Amino acid sequence: MEIMTLEANVTAPVDIDICADCQAFWFDKYESLKLAPASTLKLMKFIGEHTSRSKAVNADQLRCPRCTAPLKVTTDMQRDTKFNYWRCPQEHGRFIRFYDFLREKNFIRALSAKEINDLRQKMDTINCSNCGAPVDLEAHTVCAHCGSPISMLDMKQGQQLLAQLKQAADGIKPVDPAALLEFAESHPDWQNDVHQTGLVQAGLTALARWLNKARV
């Protein structure tokens, strides 16, 4: 795992561990809650720039890096969205996949029936953003492999995060979520990204492109 130093809300900067191969973060106790808005945006940009098919997690091999205790799988809720992670029984921290981190931060939402119908007009299948399995849009509205609903990155949440940054030294200002979506869909690789990696990762890739263009 590699270490990334991030700004915190009221404490000193925090060092988190990232495994791009596993598509996962390790957060020491409360580190995820301490993240400043700019840090959450930085992690979203990192996820968007490190697209890969994540390795399957062997739960029997997951151990706390602080005390080596076996990690325990845990399911939690963010509003009406479930997310999973593996926690240290001694409460030293937790291991969480990128997709579940975004769920926890409320950046992923399921598509409405109308949005799914609109998507069907453009493509027959997409890859599940959760497990990578192909989803036949004509037959299913959830992944037949892992049961995850067809979901997308919530551009409104991204806009709210940008709004929290206000007018920082880099000059980034809040942007209408519709403008972010328009930017995403105007890129020549957008439909291919959606087909190959799913709507969530395609949205993150588009967000990373926009942030790079804005020099964040």
Side-chain angles (χ1 to χ4, degrees), residues 71-86:
L71 300 183
K72 297 183 178 296
V73 65
T74 304
T75 298
D76 212 332
M77 294 286 293
Q78 170 58 261
R79 297 185 182 178
D80 58 351
T81 301
K82 289 183 179 180
F83 63 95
N84 299 312
Y85 56 92
W86 289 262

Side-chain angles (χ1 to χ4, degrees), residues 3-24:
I3 295 175
M4 181 183 291
T5 301
L6 298 169
E7 296 177 19
N9 278 316
V10 295
T11 66
V14 296
D15 292 331
I16 69 165
D17 301 285
I18 302 174
C19 180
D21 288 340
C22 296
Q23 302 276 280

Side-chain angles (χ1 to χ4, degrees), residues 78-179:
Q78 170 58 261
R79 297 185 182 178
D80 58 351
T81 301
K82 289 183 179 180
F83 63 95
N84 299 312
Y85 56 92
W86 289 262
R87 62 179 176 83
C88 169
Q90 304 300 321
E91 299 187 357
H92 290 132
R94 57 181 175 156
F95 178 88
I96 187 167
R97 305 294 288 271
F98 289 170
Y99 190 77
D100 283 298
F101 170 77
L102 294 169
R103 281 173 164 168
E104 177 191 12
K105 296 298 183 182
N106 206 33
F107 283 106
I108 292 178
R109 67 171 179 83
L111 269 66
S112 66
K114 181 182 183 303
E115 288 172 327
I116 292 176
N117 285 331
D118 290 344
L119 188 61
R120 284 174 178 148
Q121 305 306 311
K122 301 174 182 177
M123 54 189 68
D124 298 325
T125 63
I126 62 170
N127 281 357
C128 173
S129 296
N130 185 49
C131 71
V135 180
D136 182 352
L137 292 174
E138 291 299 321
H140 302 286
T141 58
V142 301
C143 175
H145 181 72
C146 70
S148 295
I150 299 172
S151 302
M152 67 180 293
L153 189 69
D154 191 337
M155 295 296 186
K156 290 183 179 179
Q157 288 296 108
Q159 190 272 344
Q160 290 173 10
L161 186 63
L162 290 169
Q164 291 181 57
L165 295 176
K166 299 181 181 179
Q167 296 184 20
D170 53 20
I172 299 304
K173 299 179 180 180
V175 173
D176 184 342

